[in-house]
């Protein structure tokens, strides 16, 4: 058996959010290759293609080259040990997995740089929204601390970060908890590959409280529907946005589903689609009210609605709500909450509502039952009868 894997350091030609270019270890075997991210990111001009190292003109060249030297040495050691002690040569995947499992940086390494590299390398494995959400969470962490090393990730860091989100950023408890759950995901990735040895979340509980869910009453929904029917809009964009917002109020579709909603998903007066967020298949019969908001024309191929970006949508909805004197802040997700609460108020069984919403657990739907006071009053009046 001979050592068949060769490798070299390369600079990727796609810059990150900071305008820097990541350095990867590229390994080769029988015409195939695999890449492993390093924490080194530099300006393109600072890379020496010949030496496979960072040029001395970079202020951090000594630190970066120490990291690359350490990876180089561990790679050689890994291949030699396999050659001397094992019966079969390593595959590219085995080589990468073993290299990642080693704590192969002899100097302090950036936790956030590693996670950013991991996200870039595994981009195709994530949904687009998830991937961008993770990148956004990294940016949020870097506002708390400009450089976060693996050695920084401990119980105190987590608690300090939580307080920063609650007190400095004025995040509510659920928003802060969501960020901590993402951080825990990053920690688990780091533990899986041996960069973090002990779990800093071991004695930390992440709270989830019942948040305030804005929804329209049936009277408010009717008011918006009447306003739409009068077709007295100053701008076409207002009609477009209110149209798909109200359609969501009568069907329970999420904003992400509206964006990909096409004519072929309407079959026998029902919507049949696989929900973008959960992947659940749903069948939502179209009511007469819902059909009112289906445009006569399609957009961009077979799209049913001309859906604007989330920011523009919410801005226009907020303006419409203010013009009509609604005290509630209208957003895309208010439509889904409205469908759920209105359905329960109308007496539709919660099991049916759960199926229409595409919930995987009825407990998720029961949150809406808790906040519909009219249903509670109606049910308690049975005692009077």
């Amino acid at each position: 058996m001979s050592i068949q894997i060769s490798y070299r350091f390369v600079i990727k030609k796609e810059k990150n959010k900071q305008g820097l270019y990541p350095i990867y270890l590229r390994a080769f075997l029988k015409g195939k290759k695999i890449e492993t991210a390093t924490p080194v990111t530099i300006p393109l001009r600072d890379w020496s293609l010949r030496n496979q190292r960072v040029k001395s003109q970079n202020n951090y060249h000594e630190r970066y080259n120490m990291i690359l030297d350490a990876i180089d040495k561990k790679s050689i050691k890994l291949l030699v040990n396999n050659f001397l002690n094992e019966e079969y040569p390593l595959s590219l995947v085995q080589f990468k997995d073993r290299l990642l499992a080693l704590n192969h940086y002899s100097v302090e390494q950036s936790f956030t740089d590693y996670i950013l590299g991991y996200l870039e390398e595994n981009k195709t494995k994530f949904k687009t929204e998830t991937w961008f959400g993770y990148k956004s969470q990294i940016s949020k962490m870097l506002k708390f601390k400009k450089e976060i090393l693996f050695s920084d990730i401990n119980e105190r860091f987590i608690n300090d970060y939580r307080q920063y989100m609650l007190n400095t950023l004025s995040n509510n408890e659920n928003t802060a908890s969501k960020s901590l759950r993402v951080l825990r995901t990053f920690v688990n990735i780091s533990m899986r590959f041996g960069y973090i040895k002990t779990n800093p979340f071991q004695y930390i509980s992440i709270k989830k409280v019942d948040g305030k869910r804005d929804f329209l009453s049936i009277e408010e929904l009717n008011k918006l529907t009447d306003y739409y029917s009068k077709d007295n809009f100053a701008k076409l964009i207002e009609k477009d946005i209110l149209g798909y917002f109200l359609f969501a109020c009568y069907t329970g579709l999420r904003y992400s589903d509206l964006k990909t909603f096409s004519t072929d998903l309407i079959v026998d007066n029902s919507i049949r689609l696989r929900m973008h967020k959960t992947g659940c298949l749903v069948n939502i019969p179209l009511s007469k009210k819902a059909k009112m908001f289906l445009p006569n024309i399609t957009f961009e191929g077979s799209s049913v609605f001309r859906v604007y970006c989330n920011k523009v949508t919410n801005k226009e909805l907020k303006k419409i709500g203010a013009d009509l004197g609604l005290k509630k802040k209208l957003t895309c997700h208010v439509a889904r909450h409205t469908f759920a609460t209105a359905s329960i108020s109308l007496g539709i069984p919660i099991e049916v509502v759960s199926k229409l919403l595409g919930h995987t657990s009825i407990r998720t739907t029961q949150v809406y039952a808790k906040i519909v006071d009219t249903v509670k009053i109606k049910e308690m009046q049975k005692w009077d009868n």
Side-chain angles (χ1 to χ4, degrees):
M1 185 181 80
S2 61
I3 296 177
Q4 300 178 12
I5 290 177
S6 61
Y7 63 87
R8 69 194 314 269
F9 291 105
V10 297
I11 187 165
K12 301 286 282 203
K13 296 301 173 67
E14 299 171 356
K15 59 185 176 183
N16 62 18
K17 211 169 186 179
Q18 289 73 40
L20 301 176
Y21 294 80
I23 305 300
Y24 277 69
L25 179 76
R26 182 178 291 167
F28 304 89
L29 176 64
K30 297 179 180 178
K32 296 183 178 180
K33 65 181 179 181
I34 198 167
E35 293 179 336
T36 306
T38 78
V40 178
T41 56
I42 58 173
L44 192 61
R45 64 179 180 274
D46 290 352
W47 181 246
S48 171
L49 183 64
R50 180 180 178 182
N51 297 325
Q52 297 180 50
R53 291 295 186 271
V54 181
K55 294 178 182 178
S56 58
Q57 65 193 38
N58 187 289
N59 292 335
Y60 304 100
H61 74 278
E62 290 184 352
R63 178 174 181 268
Y64 288 157
N65 287 333
M66 282 178 67
I67 292 174
L68 298 179
D69 287 343
I71 298 172
D72 200 0
K73 290 175 183 176
K74 290 295 182 182
S75 299
I76 293 172
K77 185 176 180 181
L78 188 61
L79 293 172
V80 170
N81 282 343
N82 170 247
F83 172 72
L84 294 175
N85 302 314
E86 298 183 41
E87 186 176 352
Y88 299 103
L90 292 173
S91 68
L92 284 176
V93 173
Q94 289 172 329
F95 171 74
K96 178 177 177 176
D97 286 347
R98 292 191 188 184
L99 187 63
L100 289 174
L102 294 170
N103 187 10
H104 52 253
Y105 303 122
S106 59
V107 293
E108 284 279 42
Q109 185 195 0
S110 169
F111 168 74
T112 46
D113 282 352
Y114 170 72
I115 294 299
L116 284 171
Y118 179 89
L119 292 176
E120 289 291 342
E121 195 171 341
N122 295 276
K123 190 172 183 177
T124 56
K125 296 180 182 178
F126 297 102
K127 289 182 178 179
T128 303
E129 292 84 355
T130 303
W131 188 82
F132 278 109
Y134 283 169
K135 295 265 284 189
S136 176
Q137 290 293 338
I138 290 288
S139 299
K140 185 175 179 179
M141 277 185 260
L142 291 172
K143 288 179 182 177
F144 169 62
K145 194 173 188 293
K146 289 184 178 180
E147 185 178 25
I148 303 173
L149 306 175
F150 278 110
S151 58
D152 292 326
I153 307 298
N154 52 37
E155 189 173 338
R156 181 176 178 178
F157 174 89
I158 296 166
N159 288 325
D160 288 347
Y161 183 43
R162 173 190 271 152
Q163 292 305 313
Y164 165 78
M165 289 187 284
L166 295 174
N167 300 327
T168 304
L169 300 183
S170 299
N171 289 165
N172 62 39
E173 189 70 49
N174 280 340
T175 300
S177 293
K178 180 181 178 181
S179 294
L180 290 183
R181 282 194 291 273
V182 172
L183 174 57
R184 185 172 60 190
T185 298
F186 295 158
V187 167
N188 288 339
I189 291 169
S190 303
M191 290 180 65
R192 177 152 50 102
F193 292 112
Y195 297 112
I196 294 178
K197 299 301 181 185
T198 56
N199 185 4
F201 279 92
Q202 184 175 358
Y203 301 108
I204 290 178
S205 64
I206 301 177
K207 299 177 183 178
K208 186 174 183 180
V209 298
D210 285 342
K212 183 177 181 292
R213 293 172 184 254
D214 280 330
F215 61 93
L216 298 173
S217 66
I218 291 177
E219 292 76 16
E220 291 168 328
L221 180 56
N222 286 334
K223 188 175 183 178
L224 273 176
T225 302
D226 291 341
Y227 177 75
Y228 180 87
S229 300
K230 290 175 182 176
D231 199 7
N232 189 24
F233 296 96
K235 297 181 292 184
L236 180 61
I237 187 175
E238 293 179 0
K239 183 177 181 180
D240 287 343
I241 290 174
L242 185 58
Y244 60 74
F245 172 80
L246 286 170
F247 185 78
C249 287
Y250 288 104
T251 59
L253 292 185
R254 293 181 179 88
Y255 172 77
S256 56
D257 295 315
L258 289 170
K259 285 177 68 177
T260 57
F261 186 47
S262 56
T263 52
D264 61 301
L265 297 176
I266 302 176
V267 182
D268 297 332
N269 281 322
S270 291
I271 299 170
R272 297 181 183 176
L273 60 78
R274 187 176 295 278
M275 289 198 154
H276 186 77
K277 181 178 179 180
T278 61
C280 289
L281 283 169
V282 294
N283 185 359
I284 307 168
L286 284 170
S287 64
K288 291 180 181 178
K289 285 281 183 75
K291 291 178 185 177
M292 287 172 53
F293 308 103
L294 289 173
N296 296 323
I297 60 172
T298 56
F299 305 95
E300 292 187 16
S302 60
S303 296
V304 175
F305 297 104
R306 183 193 286 119
V307 180
Y308 297 84
C309 74
N310 213 318
K311 185 177 180 180
V312 171
T313 298
N314 290 336
K315 180 182 177 182
E316 290 297 328
L317 287 174
K318 184 179 178 181
K319 181 179 178 298
I320 293 169
D323 290 344
L324 292 180
L326 299 179
K327 295 181 179 179
K328 293 167 184 173
K329 180 182 176 183
L330 298 187
T331 64
C332 295
H333 219 58
V334 167
R336 186 166 165 86
H337 295 328
T338 298
F339 173 78
T341 53
S343 296
I344 293 169
S345 297
L346 292 169
I348 299 175
I350 195 168
E351 296 84 1
V352 176
V353 178
S354 185
K355 291 293 183 184
L356 292 171
L357 290 169
H359 287 162
T360 54
S361 169
I362 199 169
R363 285 183 297 179
T364 308
T365 321
Q366 286 169 341
V367 172
Y368 296 104
K370 292 178 185 177
I371 59 179
V372 183
D373 291 329
T374 54
V375 174
K376 298 174 189 174
I377 294 167
K378 181 181 176 182
E379 294 302 313
M380 288 302 289
Q381 282 175 345
K382 291 178 180 179
W383 283 97
D384 297 331
N385 297 329

